[in-house]
Amino acid sequence: MKNGFWERAIMGADLPGEAVPGLPLVEIIGEHRVIIENHRGVIEYGCSEICVKVKFGHLKICGSGLMLSRMTKQQLVISG
């Protein structure tokens, strides 16, 4: 049973993924900003790569001149 109750319920109801509590939400804004909500911390941090832990694995952002513009318990803002 890989998916939890909420994931199965949302998939069966054909609702948007944002309705699942705790799942990461990734927004790409233009060419220079990424917002990640519901993260579980930063694993790797460098100017060309930032790796973030999320509920079901890792999310790797690659680019140049990357930096964490803002980091709260719920949200990361990466720019570069």
Side-chain angles (χ1 to χ4, degrees):
M1 201 185 303
K2 283 188 173 189
N3 291 336
F5 169 77
W6 286 111
E7 289 86 358
R8 289 192 315 269
I10 296 301
M11 291 172 89
D14 199 26
L15 294 173
E18 301 90 56
V20 180
L23 283 183
L25 175 65
V26 180
E27 275 184 82
I28 301 171
I29 302 171
E31 295 181 10
H32 302 286
R33 187 179 303 171
V34 175
I35 299 174
I36 304 168
E37 294 183 3
N38 300 321
H39 68 90
R40 295 191 171 182
V42 175
I43 297 169
E44 245 179 86
Y45 181 80
C47 61
S48 62
E49 188 173 284
I50 297 176
C51 189
V52 178
K53 185 173 181 176
V54 293
K55 187 172 184 174
F56 295 111
H58 302 129
L59 177 64
K60 189 176 283 193
I61 307 296
C62 300
S64 60
L66 298 179
M67 60 185 260
L68 286 174
S69 300
R70 182 176 52 212
M71 181 176 176
T72 66
K73 192 172 183 176
Q74 294 83 24
Q75 186 183 72
L76 286 174
V77 178
I78 300 171
S79 58

